[in-house]
């Protein structure tokens, strides 16, 4: 099963801009031959090594990243692998049944779990930055050390009591929606009134595979079931 993640878009961004950013990231950071294209379901990015592109065009496997709408201002990003798709016929492609990402000619000896994690971290920061170019540090994205807080914008580590990021100036606190007290980014319950600062989103269960998804999800990421 492909790796999947749902992201909430900020103003000015859409699935095509996210797809183009992923395409550029695969080219610039992973040195892969990458192409992006519109499909019936959204936007598809596929990538493979330059050597395989030159020697066996259309015959080898590729990394495939599919982006499609998953509710109001939300997109789902699927990362998997499959055969290289002819760009000329991409417009007729529907939902793609991805295979799990594995060590193939498309990704060489990369760890099959590392690439999706890096890609999802990049997409998250691209969206949070409003579409600006970003560089993601995997060490930073894995969480702060004790006594530190990670900036949500640039992922730089800051002292736990810092009010603004020393690297980019982003505010490092948040406000309780109930009593408006200032609290830390990682605070789960307001110390002033006890309000849950990270309420769980509404969920629903897929009738085909029993996978639990967000209430506004249109397609089950596990089996592809279309919610009415």
């Amino acid at each position: 099963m492909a790796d999947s993640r749902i992201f909430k878009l900020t103003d000015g961004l859409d699935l095509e801009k996210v797809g183009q950013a992923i395409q550029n990231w695969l080219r610039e950071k992973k040195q892969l031959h990458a192409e992006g294209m519109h499909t019936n379901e959204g936007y598809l990015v596929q990538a493979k090594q330059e050597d395989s592109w030159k020697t066996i065009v259309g015959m080898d496997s590729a990394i495939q990243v599919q982006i499609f709408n998953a509710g109001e201002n939300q997109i789902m990003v699927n990362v998997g692998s499959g055969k290289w798709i002819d760009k000329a016929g991409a417009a007729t492609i529907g939902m793609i049944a991805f295979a799990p990402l594995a060590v193939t000619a498309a990704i060489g000896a990369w760890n099959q779990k590392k690439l999706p994690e890096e890609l999802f971290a990049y997409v998250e920061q691209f969206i949070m930055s409003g579409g600006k170019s970003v560089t993601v540090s995997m060490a930073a994205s894995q969480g702060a050390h004790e006594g530190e807080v990670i900036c949500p914008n640039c992922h730089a580590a800051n002292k736990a009591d810092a009010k603004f990021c020393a690297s980019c100036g982003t505010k490092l606190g948040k406000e309780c929606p109930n009593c408006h007290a200032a609290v830390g980014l990682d605070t789960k319950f307001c110390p002033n009134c006890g309000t849950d600062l990270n309420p769980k989103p509404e969920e629903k269960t897929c009738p085909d595979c029993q996978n639990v998804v967000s209430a506004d999800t249109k397609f089950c990421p596990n089996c592809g079931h279309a919610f009415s």
Side-chain angles (χ1 to χ4, degrees), residues 6 68-72 74 76 204 213-221 224-228:
I6 293 177
F68 59 91
N69 290 317
E72 185 176 359
Q74 289 187 322
M76 177 172 285
K204 60 186 176 184
V213 298
S214 174
D216 54 3
T217 299
K218 293 185 176 181
F219 297 93
C220 176
H225 171 83
F227 295 100
S228 58

Side-chain angles (χ1 to χ4, degrees), residues 10 43 55 60 81 88 116 127 135-136 138 144 146 151 168 178-179 188 218 227-228:
T10 55
Y43 197 85
T55 57
D60 54 334
S81 61
I127 292 173
T135 300
V136 174
M138 286 306 294
E146 185 176 355
C151 173
C168 69
N178 183 49
C179 69
K188 295 182 178 180
K218 293 185 176 181
F227 295 100
S228 58

Side-chain angles (χ1 to χ4, degrees), residues 8-18 21 69 73-75 123-132:
K8 187 174 182 62
L9 295 174
T10 55
D11 292 342
L13 292 181
D14 55 28
L15 58 80
E16 180 178 357
K17 290 180 180 179
V18 173
N69 290 317
N73 294 324
Q74 289 187 322
I75 58 171
V123 171
E124 180 179 6
Q125 290 308 299
F126 177 79
I127 292 173
M128 292 177 66
S129 70
K132 298 177 182 178

Side-chain angles (χ1 to χ4, degrees), residues 139-196:
S141 66
Q142 291 171 357
H145 295 293
E146 185 176 355
E148 292 182 338
V149 61
I150 297 299
C151 173
N153 180 52
C154 70
H155 273 197
N158 293 265
K159 292 183 179 179
D161 58 354
K163 294 183 179 180
F164 297 91
C165 177
S167 178
C168 69
T170 296
K171 188 176 181 180
L172 297 178
K174 59 185 178 182
E175 184 179 272
C176 172
N178 183 49
C179 69
H180 305 292
V183 297
L185 283 176
D186 298 327
T187 304
K188 295 182 178 180
F189 295 91
C190 176
N192 188 52
C193 68
T195 297
D196 186 351

Side-chain angles (χ1 to χ4, degrees), residues 1-3 23 40 51 90 96 150 173 202:
M1 186 59 60
D3 290 273
Q23 179 181 335
N40 280 338
D51 289 344
I96 297 174
I150 297 299
E202 294 184 10

